[in-house]
Amino acid sequence: MELASKDRPLRLGILLSGRGSNFLAIAESIRAGRLKGVEIAVVISNVADAGGISAAKELGLPTAVFVSQGRKRREHDADVIACLQTHRVNLVCLAGYMRLLSPEFIAAFPNRILNIHPALLPAFPGLDAQQQAFDYGVKVAGCTVHFVDEHLDHGAIIAQRTVPVLESDDAHSLAERILVEEHIAYSEAIARVASGEFELRGRRFAKRGL
Ligand code: GRF
């Protein structure tokens, strides 16, 4: 999977629905020089008043909003795909994007869509993952950045980070501790993809030549 080279930077398309703290962590990694050869091409939301869109505007980044409510998934996705292509995006990063992608969307960016999930997949896919983990009584929780395939929270794993579950935790405090690690994990995952040093072998995203 060749994604980046010196004269072909990785152009990210960020998709979000909410506050956008993961997006901001990625933007900060780029600003601080921790993600060489990576730039944010556009930030897109399916929610008109998403905080992440205001934050992107403040950073002077291109933004677009395609309200998804009441629209057929395929039609909405066609607008998003066109926007990503206009901005020459070659890596899509879902960052709190609360909408399933159509098969057409996934086919348009094969192995070029990343998602972050606030649990250690394959445990606790779906909504309210931190609450699921807390209620289950796990002693270690965490987050996963993975490629997106046609199944929910299922594609090959790129990066994971763990946190302990403390006796004093509730689901909210656990989610806050996981979020700190999410902000590190997403940039780690993008750096791995950008490095060109990893390849997909079945489900394994592993170093080439090892
Ligand atoms: C994060 O917990 C992410 O793992 C989940 O949605 C949340 C988005 O948070 N998919 P933010 O909008 O990035 O702050």
Side-chain angles (χ1 to χ4, degrees):
M1 185 174 52
E2 301 298 338
L3 275 171
S5 70
K6 269 194 186 128
D7 42 18
R8 183 169 178 259
L10 211 47
R11 289 178 57 79
L12 307 186
I14 309 263
L15 267 58
L16 52 78
S17 305
R19 65 193 163 182
S21 71
N22 276 289
F23 146 60
L24 284 169
I26 295 166
E28 173 57 20
S29 290
I30 293 172
R31 191 205 62 75
R34 293 193 295 270
L35 282 175
K36 299 261 186 273
V38 179
E39 57 197 33
I40 296 176
V42 64
V43 181
I44 299 175
S45 179
N46 65 322
V47 175
D49 58 353
I53 287 291
S54 320
K57 284 182 180 158
E58 276 173 32
L59 292 176
L61 293 168
T63 62
V65 174
F66 300 98
V67 174
S68 57
Q69 201 177 19
R71 292 195 68 198
K72 291 215 170 82
R73 192 177 308 283
R74 273 174 65 181
E75 289 168 11
H76 173 260
D77 280 4
D79 288 345
V80 177
I81 293 166
C83 181
L84 292 167
Q85 288 170 342
T86 299
H87 287 88
R88 292 178 291 115
V89 165
N90 50 18
L91 189 70
V92 179
C93 295
L94 309 184
Y97 188 62
M98 303 307 286
R99 190 166 166 89
L100 292 174
L101 304 186
S102 60
E104 290 79 8
F105 194 138
I106 293 165
F109 293 92
N111 290 330
R112 285 167 166 75
I113 308 173
L114 273 49
N115 181 44
I116 186 152
H117 182 70
L120 294 172
L121 291 172
F124 313 121
L127 289 175
D128 296 325
Q130 306 96 324
Q131 183 80 51
Q132 288 187 56
F134 180 78
D135 291 344
Y136 197 91
V138 296
K139 302 301 181 200
V140 178
C143 60
T144 304
V145 184
H146 63 94
F147 288 107
V148 172
D149 65 11
E150 57 279 13
H151 305 291
L152 180 68
D153 298 329
H154 175 268
I157 290 170
I158 306 167
Q160 289 186 305
R161 293 183 69 88
T162 60
V163 301
V165 181
L166 307 179
E167 290 298 331
S168 55
D169 267 334
D170 56 20
H172 180 75
S173 61
L174 177 60
E176 283 188 338
R177 192 172 319 108
I178 293 171
L179 189 63
V180 173
E181 300 305 316
E182 291 184 42
H183 295 163
I184 301 167
Y186 220 145
S187 293
E188 276 180 359
I190 293 168
R192 280 181 193 169
V193 173
S195 74
E197 292 173 11
F198 290 73
E199 63 184 358
L200 268 175
R201 294 205 285 273
R203 282 199 55 90
R204 299 190 65 242
F205 191 59
K207 272 227 160 166
R208 291 177 195 279
L210 290 181

